[in-house]
Amino acid sequence: MKIETYSFGRMIIDGEKYGNDLMICGDSVKSNWVREEGHLLKPTDLMWIVEREPDLLIVGRGSSGRMKIGENARSRLKERGIELWSGTTDEAADYFNSKQGGSELVAAAFHLTC
C-alpha cells in the first residue's frame, strides 16, 4: 500500500482519494475515522487498529500536529506491544511509505486537517 499524495484534507492511497481522517492496517483502509474527542486520541479511537495487532502504529497528527495522543492511548499501545511513532501527517505519510515491504505489520492513523 502506498500513499501517493497528502495535502491538507486530502490523501490519495493506491489511486483512491480520501477526504476524511482514516486508518490503515496492512492492506485495509478504514475511512471516515471519527474520534471521541476530535483532537485528543484515546484508546477507544484505536480499537480497529489494536484488534489487528500491528507491530507498529504511525500517527499523523495533522498538518500542524494539532492532534495530541493521550497518555491512556500510549499506555494501551505499550501494553499490547505496539510500537508508536507520531509526527505531522506529511511526515507520517512519508514514514508509512518507508516502512512498506518489510516483515512488520504496519498500521497508521491519519488526521488529514489541522
Short mmCIF file of all heavy atoms in Angstrom, two decimals, residues 65-106:
data_model
loop_
_atom_site.label_atom_id
_atom_site.label_comp_id
_atom_site.label_asym_id
_atom_site.label_seq_id
_atom_site.Cartn_x
_atom_site.Cartn_y
_atom_site.Cartn_z
N GLY A 65 0.21 19.29 13.39
CA GLY A 65 0.44 18.46 14.57
C GLY A 65 -0.48 18.77 15.73
O GLY A 65 -0.15 18.51 16.88
N ARG A 66 -1.66 19.27 15.44
CA ARG A 66 -2.58 19.71 16.49
C ARG A 66 -3.17 18.56 17.31
O ARG A 66 -3.43 18.72 18.50
CB ARG A 66 -3.70 20.53 15.86
CG ARG A 66 -4.60 21.15 16.88
CD ARG A 66 -5.54 22.14 16.26
NE ARG A 66 -6.46 22.61 17.28
CZ ARG A 66 -7.60 23.19 17.02
NH1 ARG A 66 -7.96 23.40 15.77
NH2 ARG A 66 -8.39 23.57 17.99
N MET A 67 -3.40 17.41 16.70
CA MET A 67 -3.98 16.29 17.44
C MET A 67 -2.95 15.74 18.42
O MET A 67 -1.80 15.51 18.07
CB MET A 67 -4.43 15.19 16.48
CG MET A 67 -5.16 14.06 17.18
SD MET A 67 -5.80 12.82 16.03
CE MET A 67 -4.30 11.94 15.60
N LYS A 68 -3.38 15.53 19.65
CA LYS A 68 -2.50 15.01 20.70
C LYS A 68 -2.82 13.54 20.96
O LYS A 68 -3.95 13.10 20.77
CB LYS A 68 -2.68 15.79 22.00
CG LYS A 68 -2.45 17.29 21.85
CD LYS A 68 -1.06 17.60 21.38
CE LYS A 68 -0.87 19.11 21.23
NZ LYS A 68 0.15 19.46 20.29
N ILE A 69 -1.84 12.81 21.42
CA ILE A 69 -2.03 11.40 21.77
C ILE A 69 -2.09 11.33 23.29
O ILE A 69 -1.12 11.66 23.98
CB ILE A 69 -0.88 10.53 21.23
CG1 ILE A 69 -0.77 10.69 19.72
CG2 ILE A 69 -1.11 9.07 21.63
CD1 ILE A 69 0.47 10.07 19.12
N GLY A 70 -3.24 10.93 23.81
CA GLY A 70 -3.43 10.85 25.25
C GLY A 70 -2.56 9.79 25.90
O GLY A 70 -2.19 8.79 25.26
N GLU A 71 -2.25 10.00 27.17
CA GLU A 71 -1.41 9.04 27.91
C GLU A 71 -2.07 7.67 27.99
O GLU A 71 -1.38 6.65 27.94
CB GLU A 71 -1.07 9.58 29.30
CG GLU A 71 -0.01 10.66 29.28
CD GLU A 71 1.28 10.23 28.57
OE1 GLU A 71 1.78 9.10 28.83
OE2 GLU A 71 1.78 11.01 27.74
N ASN A 72 -3.40 7.63 28.11
CA ASN A 72 -4.10 6.34 28.17
C ASN A 72 -3.92 5.57 26.86
O ASN A 72 -3.75 4.36 26.87
CB ASN A 72 -5.58 6.53 28.47
CG ASN A 72 -5.83 6.97 29.89
OD1 ASN A 72 -4.98 6.81 30.75
ND2 ASN A 72 -7.00 7.52 30.14
N ALA A 73 -3.96 6.28 25.74
CA ALA A 73 -3.74 5.62 24.45
C ALA A 73 -2.31 5.11 24.34
O ALA A 73 -2.08 3.99 23.89
CB ALA A 73 -4.04 6.59 23.31
N ARG A 74 -1.36 5.92 24.78
CA ARG A 74 0.04 5.48 24.75
C ARG A 74 0.24 4.23 25.60
O ARG A 74 0.91 3.28 25.19
CB ARG A 74 0.96 6.59 25.26
CG ARG A 74 1.08 7.76 24.31
CD ARG A 74 1.96 8.87 24.93
NE ARG A 74 1.96 10.05 24.12
CZ ARG A 74 2.75 10.25 23.07
NH1 ARG A 74 3.63 9.32 22.71
NH2 ARG A 74 2.69 11.38 22.39
N SER A 75 -0.36 4.23 26.79
CA SER A 75 -0.25 3.08 27.70
C SER A 75 -0.85 1.82 27.11
O SER A 75 -0.27 0.74 27.20
CB SER A 75 -0.92 3.39 29.04
OG SER A 75 -0.26 4.43 29.69
N ARG A 76 -2.04 1.96 26.49
CA ARG A 76 -2.71 0.80 25.89
C ARG A 76 -1.85 0.20 24.79
O ARG A 76 -1.70 -1.02 24.69
CB ARG A 76 -4.06 1.22 25.34
CG ARG A 76 -4.78 0.19 24.49
CD ARG A 76 -5.30 -1.03 25.26
NE ARG A 76 -6.25 -0.68 26.28
CZ ARG A 76 -7.55 -0.50 26.08
NH1 ARG A 76 -8.05 -0.62 24.88
NH2 ARG A 76 -8.34 -0.21 27.09
N LEU A 77 -1.28 1.05 23.95
CA LEU A 77 -0.41 0.55 22.88
C LEU A 77 0.80 -0.18 23.44
O LEU A 77 1.17 -1.26 22.97
CB LEU A 77 0.01 1.69 21.97
CG LEU A 77 -1.10 2.35 21.16
CD1 LEU A 77 -0.61 3.64 20.52
CD2 LEU A 77 -1.65 1.39 20.11
N LYS A 78 1.41 0.41 24.47
CA LYS A 78 2.58 -0.21 25.09
C LYS A 78 2.23 -1.56 25.69
O LYS A 78 2.97 -2.54 25.53
CB LYS A 78 3.16 0.73 26.15
CG LYS A 78 4.47 0.27 26.71
CD LYS A 78 5.07 1.31 27.63
CE LYS A 78 6.42 0.83 28.10
NZ LYS A 78 7.08 1.81 28.96
N GLU A 79 1.08 -1.63 26.38
CA GLU A 79 0.62 -2.89 26.97
C GLU A 79 0.45 -3.98 25.92
O GLU A 79 0.69 -5.15 26.18
CB GLU A 79 -0.74 -2.70 27.66
CG GLU A 79 -0.69 -1.93 28.95
CD GLU A 79 -2.08 -1.54 29.43
OE1 GLU A 79 -3.10 -1.99 28.84
OE2 GLU A 79 -2.16 -0.78 30.41
N ARG A 80 0.00 -3.59 24.74
CA ARG A 80 -0.24 -4.54 23.66
C ARG A 80 1.02 -4.82 22.83
O ARG A 80 0.99 -5.58 21.87
CB ARG A 80 -1.34 -4.02 22.73
CG ARG A 80 -2.69 -3.82 23.39
CD ARG A 80 -3.33 -5.12 23.87
NE ARG A 80 -3.71 -6.01 22.80
CZ ARG A 80 -4.93 -6.16 22.33
NH1 ARG A 80 -5.92 -5.48 22.86
NH2 ARG A 80 -5.16 -7.00 21.36
N GLY A 81 2.13 -4.17 23.17
CA GLY A 81 3.39 -4.39 22.46
C GLY A 81 3.43 -3.73 21.09
O GLY A 81 4.17 -4.18 20.21
N ILE A 82 2.64 -2.67 20.92
CA ILE A 82 2.60 -1.95 19.65
C ILE A 82 3.49 -0.72 19.74
O ILE A 82 3.26 0.16 20.58
CB ILE A 82 1.15 -1.54 19.29
CG1 ILE A 82 0.25 -2.78 19.20
CG2 ILE A 82 1.12 -0.73 17.99
CD1 ILE A 82 -1.23 -2.47 19.11
N GLU A 83 4.50 -0.67 18.90
CA GLU A 83 5.40 0.49 18.86
C GLU A 83 4.65 1.68 18.29
O GLU A 83 3.85 1.54 17.36
CB GLU A 83 6.61 0.17 17.99
CG GLU A 83 7.62 1.29 17.91
CD GLU A 83 8.76 0.98 16.95
OE1 GLU A 83 8.90 -0.17 16.51
OE2 GLU A 83 9.50 1.92 16.63
N LEU A 84 4.90 2.87 18.83
CA LEU A 84 4.22 4.09 18.39
C LEU A 84 5.23 5.07 17.81
O LEU A 84 6.28 5.32 18.39
CB LEU A 84 3.50 4.74 19.57
CG LEU A 84 2.87 6.11 19.34
CD1 LEU A 84 1.72 6.01 18.32
CD2 LEU A 84 2.36 6.69 20.65
N TRP A 85 4.87 5.62 16.66
CA TRP A 85 5.64 6.71 16.04
C TRP A 85 4.63 7.77 15.64
O TRP A 85 3.57 7.45 15.11
CB TRP A 85 6.38 6.20 14.81
CG TRP A 85 7.27 7.23 14.18
CD1 TRP A 85 8.62 7.34 14.36
CD2 TRP A 85 6.90 8.28 13.28
NE1 TRP A 85 9.10 8.40 13.62
CE2 TRP A 85 8.05 9.01 12.96
CE3 TRP A 85 5.69 8.70 12.73
CZ2 TRP A 85 8.04 10.10 12.10
CZ3 TRP A 85 5.67 9.79 11.88
CH2 TRP A 85 6.85 10.48 11.58
N SER A 86 4.93 9.05 15.92
CA SER A 86 3.99 10.11 15.51
C SER A 86 4.74 11.33 15.00
O SER A 86 5.90 11.56 15.34
CB SER A 86 3.07 10.50 16.67
OG SER A 86 3.76 11.26 17.64
N GLY A 87 4.03 12.08 14.18
CA GLY A 87 4.56 13.31 13.62
C GLY A 87 3.45 14.02 12.89
O GLY A 87 2.28 13.62 12.97
N THR A 88 3.78 15.08 12.18
CA THR A 88 2.77 15.73 11.36
C THR A 88 2.32 14.72 10.30
O THR A 88 3.01 13.74 10.04
CB THR A 88 3.31 17.00 10.68
OG1 THR A 88 4.39 16.64 9.82
CG2 THR A 88 3.76 18.03 11.72
N THR A 89 1.19 14.97 9.69
CA THR A 89 0.66 13.99 8.74
C THR A 89 1.56 13.83 7.52
O THR A 89 1.73 12.70 7.03
CB THR A 89 -0.78 14.34 8.35
OG1 THR A 89 -1.58 14.28 9.55
CG2 THR A 89 -1.35 13.36 7.34
N ASP A 90 2.18 14.90 7.05
CA ASP A 90 3.09 14.72 5.91
C ASP A 90 4.31 13.88 6.30
O ASP A 90 4.75 13.01 5.54
CB ASP A 90 3.48 16.05 5.26
CG ASP A 90 4.18 17.02 6.18
OD1 ASP A 90 4.02 16.92 7.41
OD2 ASP A 90 4.89 17.90 5.67
N GLU A 91 4.85 14.09 7.49
CA GLU A 91 5.98 13.26 7.97
C GLU A 91 5.54 11.81 8.13
O GLU A 91 6.28 10.89 7.75
CB GLU A 91 6.49 13.78 9.32
CG GLU A 91 7.12 15.14 9.27
CD GLU A 91 7.34 15.75 10.65
OE1 GLU A 91 6.67 15.35 11.63
OE2 GLU A 91 8.19 16.65 10.74
N ALA A 92 4.34 11.63 8.71
CA ALA A 92 3.83 10.27 8.96
C ALA A 92 3.57 9.53 7.65
O ALA A 92 3.83 8.33 7.56
CB ALA A 92 2.56 10.35 9.81
N ALA A 93 3.07 10.22 6.64
CA ALA A 93 2.83 9.59 5.34
C ALA A 93 4.15 9.11 4.74
O ALA A 93 4.24 7.99 4.23
CB ALA A 93 2.12 10.56 4.40
N ASP A 94 5.17 9.95 4.82
CA ASP A 94 6.49 9.55 4.31
C ASP A 94 7.04 8.35 5.08
O ASP A 94 7.58 7.41 4.49
CB ASP A 94 7.48 10.70 4.39
CG ASP A 94 7.21 11.81 3.38
OD1 ASP A 94 6.48 11.57 2.40
OD2 ASP A 94 7.73 12.93 3.59
N TYR A 95 6.91 8.38 6.40
CA TYR A 95 7.41 7.28 7.22
C TYR A 95 6.63 6.00 6.93
O TYR A 95 7.23 4.92 6.81
CB TYR A 95 7.34 7.64 8.70
CG TYR A 95 8.05 6.66 9.58
CD1 TYR A 95 9.41 6.42 9.44
CD2 TYR A 95 7.37 5.95 10.57
CE1 TYR A 95 10.07 5.49 10.25
CE2 TYR A 95 8.01 5.03 11.38
CZ TYR A 95 9.36 4.81 11.22
OH TYR A 95 10.01 3.90 12.01
N PHE A 96 5.31 6.12 6.78
CA PHE A 96 4.49 4.96 6.43
C PHE A 96 5.00 4.32 5.13
O PHE A 96 5.19 3.10 5.06
CB PHE A 96 3.02 5.37 6.29
CG PHE A 96 2.12 4.25 5.86
CD1 PHE A 96 1.60 3.36 6.79
CD2 PHE A 96 1.79 4.08 4.52
CE1 PHE A 96 0.78 2.31 6.39
CE2 PHE A 96 0.97 3.04 4.12
CZ PHE A 96 0.46 2.15 5.05
N ASN A 97 5.21 5.13 4.13
CA ASN A 97 5.70 4.61 2.85
C ASN A 97 7.06 3.93 3.00
O ASN A 97 7.32 2.90 2.37
CB ASN A 97 5.79 5.72 1.80
CG ASN A 97 4.43 6.08 1.24
OD1 ASN A 97 3.47 5.32 1.31
ND2 ASN A 97 4.33 7.27 0.68
N SER A 98 7.91 4.48 3.84
CA SER A 98 9.25 3.90 4.03
C SER A 98 9.20 2.54 4.73
O SER A 98 10.13 1.75 4.62
CB SER A 98 10.15 4.86 4.80
OG SER A 98 9.86 4.83 6.19
N LYS A 99 8.13 2.26 5.46
CA LYS A 99 8.01 1.01 6.21
C LYS A 99 7.31 -0.10 5.43
O LYS A 99 7.19 -1.23 5.92
CB LYS A 99 7.24 1.25 7.52
CG LYS A 99 7.91 2.23 8.46
CD LYS A 99 9.30 1.78 8.87
CE LYS A 99 9.27 0.68 9.88
NZ LYS A 99 10.62 0.28 10.36
N GLN A 100 6.87 0.19 4.21
CA GLN A 100 6.18 -0.81 3.41
C GLN A 100 7.18 -1.83 2.85
O GLN A 100 8.31 -1.50 2.55
CB GLN A 100 5.40 -0.14 2.28
CG GLN A 100 4.29 0.78 2.77
CD GLN A 100 3.36 0.10 3.74
OE1 GLN A 100 2.65 -0.83 3.39
NE2 GLN A 100 3.36 0.54 4.99
N GLY A 101 6.71 -3.06 2.73
CA GLY A 101 7.54 -4.11 2.14
C GLY A 101 8.37 -4.88 3.14
O GLY A 101 9.04 -5.84 2.77
N GLY A 102 8.33 -4.48 4.40
CA GLY A 102 9.08 -5.20 5.43
C GLY A 102 8.25 -6.32 6.02
O GLY A 102 7.14 -6.61 5.58
N SER A 103 8.79 -6.94 7.05
CA SER A 103 8.10 -8.07 7.68
C SER A 103 7.14 -7.64 8.79
O SER A 103 6.33 -8.44 9.24
CB SER A 103 9.14 -9.04 8.27
OG SER A 103 9.94 -8.37 9.23
N GLU A 104 7.20 -6.37 9.21
CA GLU A 104 6.31 -5.87 10.25
C GLU A 104 4.91 -5.62 9.70
O GLU A 104 4.76 -5.22 8.55
CB GLU A 104 6.80 -4.53 10.79
CG GLU A 104 8.05 -4.54 11.59
CD GLU A 104 8.37 -3.14 12.10
OE1 GLU A 104 8.47 -2.20 11.29
OE2 GLU A 104 8.51 -3.01 13.33
N LEU A 105 3.90 -5.81 10.57
CA LEU A 105 2.55 -5.37 10.23
C LEU A 105 2.46 -3.91 10.68
O LEU A 105 2.59 -3.60 11.86
CB LEU A 105 1.49 -6.21 10.93
CG LEU A 105 0.04 -5.79 10.68
CD1 LEU A 105 -0.29 -5.79 9.18
CD2 LEU A 105 -0.92 -6.69 11.46
N VAL A 106 2.29 -3.02 9.72
CA VAL A 106 2.29 -1.59 9.97
C VAL A 106 0.87 -1.04 9.87
O VAL A 106 0.16 -1.32 8.92
CB VAL A 106 3.22 -0.85 8.98
CG1 VAL A 106 3.17 0.65 9.19
CG2 VAL A 106 4.64 -1.36 9.11
#
